Amino acid sequence: ALATGADSVVVAMQTVGFSTFQKATAYAQNSKLGNGGSKHRTGAAGHWAEHGHHALMRIAAFAAVGGYDETFSHNEDAELDYRLGTAGYRIWMTDRTSMVYYPRARI
């Protein structure tokens, strides 16, 4: 955040599974068909982004746009990123770290 002046720093996410169901879910989520080629799902060189998995955010930016909208049943992170961008805040996707997601083990 200090190096780029970003208001929010996001990371890419890789889905990993151990059970058969998890592995199938991971394969689907990591495929272009499953994620549309989204850089926040596949990883990329550091760049300005519209959305990613939140790692760090300036509290002032978060508060200025009203934070997460808890009325959303899903995808509230992407909606928050949309409001940040609309309000002129900048989101940086770093390539210096990432996260791993483990989907549920059973349907």
Side-chain angles (χ1 to χ4, degrees), residues 2-66:
L2 294 175
T4 63
D7 300 295
S8 175
V9 177
V10 297
V11 298
M13 178 178 80
Q14 181 74 16
T15 303
V16 174
F18 297 103
S19 71
T20 301
F21 179 76
Q22 279 183 316
K23 288 177 182 177
T25 301
Y27 182 80
Q29 288 186 353
N30 291 330
S31 73
K32 189 168 187 171
L33 179 63
N35 64 40
S38 298
K39 291 181 181 179
H40 72 277
R41 293 302 304 260
T42 59
H47 64 280
W48 295 106
E50 294 179 2
H51 175 61
H53 302 284
H54 298 147
L56 178 144
M57 194 175 306
R58 295 186 193 279
I59 296 297
F62 182 81
V65 299

Side-chain angles (χ1 to χ4, degrees), residues 56-102:
L56 178 144
M57 194 175 306
R58 295 186 193 279
I59 296 297
F62 182 81
V65 299
Y68 289 108
D69 183 343
E70 295 182 17
T71 65
F72 275 62
S73 63
H74 58 282
N75 217 25
E76 66 279 1
D77 57 338
E79 192 273 336
L80 172 61
D81 285 344
Y82 174 79
R83 285 186 284 122
L84 285 168
T86 299
Y89 293 104
R90 299 184 312 156
I91 301 169
W92 178 258
M93 188 175 117
T94 183
D95 58 352
R96 298 185 71 184
T97 189
S98 63
M99 64 176 278
V100 174
Y101 171 72
Y102 300 95

